[in-house]
Amino acid sequence: SAVISQKPSRDICQRGTSLTIQCQVDSQVTMMFWYRQQPGQSLTLIATANQGSEATYESGFVIDKFPISRPNLTFSTLTVSNMSPEDSSIYLCSVARGLNNEQFFGPGTRLTVL
Amino acid sequence: GQQVMQIPQYQHVQEGEDFTTYCNSSTTLSNIQWYKQRPGGHPVFLIQLVKSGEVKKQKRLTFQFGEAKKNSSLHITATQTTDVGTYFCAGPQRRGGKLIFGQGTELSVKP
């Protein structure tokens, strides 16, 4: 398993501002993942963060809107930029461990944009 | 593109009744994983199935992987209120290995 912490756990933000979410893992991992989960919905992968290289974004997500940092093997940040109410969601980071890459999730950041 | 579909979307049962959720992939999967998300919580890994026709049990939970490795099911016997939550299946993409999650089945249990 993995111990993953996220900060902040929740926030309420104004439209047009940006929020940076931090994810800390208890041990070194090659890849970290950022997901979005809108209320009552499934998990949608935003991007994969690799240490030492640019993040890989999924279709529909762009670096200008969701810049990601990965300064070392235990830490990553996701910024939600120029927020609008449509960005209200839970943002989760995760890591893959084990023979077949089962994923372990952080507790999530619940974001509300007014 | 590759899709993972789950049914039903919601299931309401009386405590003690059984529950089953079904997962179907548009492509053959190398493995399938199941996660449980309690209300207000984050997804927690339950189990992984790898072999064709595999069946695994965890107490009252029985997981199956189809012979063609394109479908899977999770069956809970005699549900309890602690079983409440959303159950997701997930399979790896054919290229890249990233997980694709099903839509989830939300289970509610009446005591």
Side-chain angles (χ1 to χ4, degrees):
Chain A
S1 64
V3 176
I4 305 171
S5 61
Q6 274 186 245
K7 287 196 284 189
S9 58
R10 57 179 64 232
D11 207 342
I12 300 173
C13 301
Q14 295 297 319
R15 180 196 297 262
T17 62
S18 298
L19 176 73
T20 295
I21 302 167
Q22 299 179 6
C23 180
Q24 180 75 51
V25 187
D26 64 338
S27 59
Q28 295 182 345
V29 291
T30 305
M31 291 193 290
M32 293 175 74
F33 304 92
W34 287 99
Y35 287 85
R36 182 173 73 184
Q37 185 177 31
Q38 293 178 315
Q41 301 295 313
S42 187
L43 295 100
T44 301
L45 182 63
I46 298 171
T48 303
N50 300 306
Q51 195 269 336
S53 63
E54 278 195 7
T56 305
Y57 288 83
E58 298 300 306
S59 175
F61 298 96
V62 295
I63 188 170
D64 289 347
K65 175 67 176 177
F66 297 100
I68 286 172
S69 79
R70 185 77 202 274
N72 58 54
L73 289 172
T74 63
F75 187 78
S76 178
T77 67
L78 169 77
T79 299
V80 187
S81 304
N82 188 25
M83 289 183 285
S84 66
E86 292 72 33
D87 294 319
S88 297
S89 189
I90 299 172
Y91 292 85
L92 298 138
C93 67
S94 77
V95 301
R97 290 261 174 90
L99 188 63
N100 282 293
N101 288 329
E102 51 264 36
Q103 296 215 358
F104 298 91
F105 289 85
T109 296
R110 188 178 297 270
L111 170 63
T112 303
V113 184
L114 302 177
Chain B
Q2 187 178 350
Q3 291 184 323
V4 175
M5 295 149 284
Q6 245 181 294
I7 55 169
Q9 188 175 0
Y10 303 99
Q11 186 77 58
H12 309 287
V13 300
Q14 196 75 38
E15 189 172 21
E17 291 181 340
D18 293 355
F19 159 77
T20 304
T21 173
Y22 300 91
C23 182
N24 290 286
S25 170
S26 58
T27 61
T28 302
L29 299 170
S30 60
N31 68 82
I32 193 143
Q33 301 174 18
W34 285 91
Y35 294 79
K36 177 183 178 181
Q37 185 174 24
R38 293 181 187 274
H42 59 277
V44 174
F45 174 78
L46 291 177
I47 206 163
Q48 178 178 255
L49 304 168
V50 179
K51 299 177 184 176
S52 168
E54 189 170 15
V55 177
K56 286 189 177 180
K57 292 192 175 185
Q58 288 180 350
K59 298 183 180 177
R60 293 177 295 103
L61 278 62
T62 302
F63 303 84
Q64 290 188 319
F65 200 11
E67 294 288 341
K69 301 183 77 172
K70 293 182 72 174
N71 56 69
S72 181
S73 65
L74 158 59
H75 179 82
I76 302 179
T77 304
T79 54
Q80 300 175 358
T81 54
T82 53
D83 296 323
V84 164
T86 302
Y87 293 85
F88 293 97
C89 62
Q93 277 184 336
R94 298 195 81 153
R95 296 179 183 177
K98 298 165 196 173
L99 278 184
I100 302 175
F101 283 82
Q103 303 95 314
T105 297
E106 182 179 342
L107 171 65
S108 65
V109 180
K110 288 184 189 176

